[in-house]
Amino acid sequence: EADIYQTPRYLVIGTGKKITLECSQTMGHDKMYWYQQDPGMELHLIHYSYGVNSTEKGDLSSESTVSRIRTEHFPLTLESARPSHTSQYLCASSFRRGYTFGSGTRLTVV
Amino acid sequence: AQSVTQPDIHITVSEGASLELRCNYSYGATPYLFWYVQSPGQGLQLLLKYFSGDTLVQGIKGFEAEFKRSQSSFNLRKPSVHWSDAAEYFCAVGERRYGGATNKLIFGTGTLLAVQP
């Protein structure tokens, strides 16, 4: 039973479209993260948040942006999708040292 | 810089055989160590974690891992593999930076496990 939800699970979209990947958690965790994972590759942190109105870029440069207006919600937005954005995006939240991951969004930009 | 190495990209074992997945890390202090499993199309599921104390850690689904500081390793083991264990396995190091305000993870590249009947 997931406590962190990502939608959509799969998304195929045309180049130039604006998209928002949703991530919500019901655990009240302050810390939330977005990871990007290409097939067969490691996960890379692209954004993280300490709490409401706090966001930072991660280790991997990304053209996406995030917002944290509510504790439970951490959406990721691409203003203009490109084929290079094709990847899997995993959202996570943590409390102390325990992480919980969502099921991911597999994005394909055609 | 902190890093995690999983030297085996792909491993095939027979059902019922024992399994060991290797993980080596580079970290300046005592690390927080994790093993995650990812089934196709799914998110990551935590198998086990090490923070301190007993260096042999028990996890879910019959997995265990041993922290060996002298070898900078945290290898995952299972005595008898089941077909349902076929998945990708990620080792990760927990990193504390920015005044301890984050617990970002650094992941290895993963090991894809195939199980033969």
Side-chain angles (χ1 to χ4, degrees), chain A residues 8-67:
Chain A
R9 287 292 308 278
Y10 303 94
L11 178 62
V12 180
I13 200 163
T15 298
K17 300 291 186 182
K18 176 181 179 178
I19 59 171
T20 296
L21 308 185
E22 301 288 349
C23 176
S24 296
Q25 49 100 1
T26 59
M27 298 167 285
H29 290 172
D30 285 330
K31 298 169 191 172
M32 295 189 74
Y33 314 81
W34 276 102
Y35 288 88
Q36 185 174 343
Q37 182 187 24
D38 292 325
M41 302 296 288
E42 66 266 42
L43 286 83
H44 291 287
L45 181 69
I46 52 174
H47 297 283
Y48 61 96
S49 169
Y50 303 139
V52 172
N53 294 326
S54 164
T55 62
E56 299 285 345
K57 288 192 177 293
D59 301 313
L60 181 67
S61 176
S62 174
E63 295 166 344
S64 59
T65 59
V66 293
S67 62

Side-chain angles (χ1 to χ4, degrees), chain B:
Chain B
Q2 294 82 0
S3 66
V4 178
T5 302
Q6 291 180 248
D8 303 307
I9 296 173
H10 186 232
I11 284 182
T12 300
V13 299
S14 298
E15 190 169 15
S18 63
L19 171 71
E20 182 169 29
L21 303 182
R22 296 183 290 167
C23 173
N24 294 97
Y25 66 89
S26 172
Y27 191 70
T30 300
Y32 303 147
L33 295 161
F34 305 80
W35 274 100
Y36 285 88
V37 60
Q38 186 178 27
S39 298
Q42 300 294 315
L44 293 172
Q45 181 182 24
L46 179 66
L47 285 176
L48 47 79
K49 58 190 177 186
Y50 170 79
F51 295 151
S52 63
D54 193 346
T55 56
L56 185 61
V57 180
Q58 301 298 320
I60 62 172
K61 303 184 180 185
F63 286 93
E64 66 178 26
E66 186 171 11
F67 169 55
K68 292 185 178 180
R69 184 188 302 275
S70 61
Q71 299 176 18
S72 297
S73 69
F74 189 57
N75 295 348
L76 182 72
R77 300 194 295 249
K78 186 169 185 178
S80 178
V81 170
H82 188 261
W83 65 267
S84 62
D85 293 325
E88 191 158 21
Y89 292 80
F90 289 89
C91 180
V93 169
E95 180 187 46
R96 282 190 172 273
R97 293 197 304 182
Y98 306 104
T102 66
N103 297 90
K104 296 187 295 180
L105 298 184
I106 299 170
F107 287 84
T109 52
T111 297
L112 187 62
L113 173 66
V115 180
Q116 287 181 334

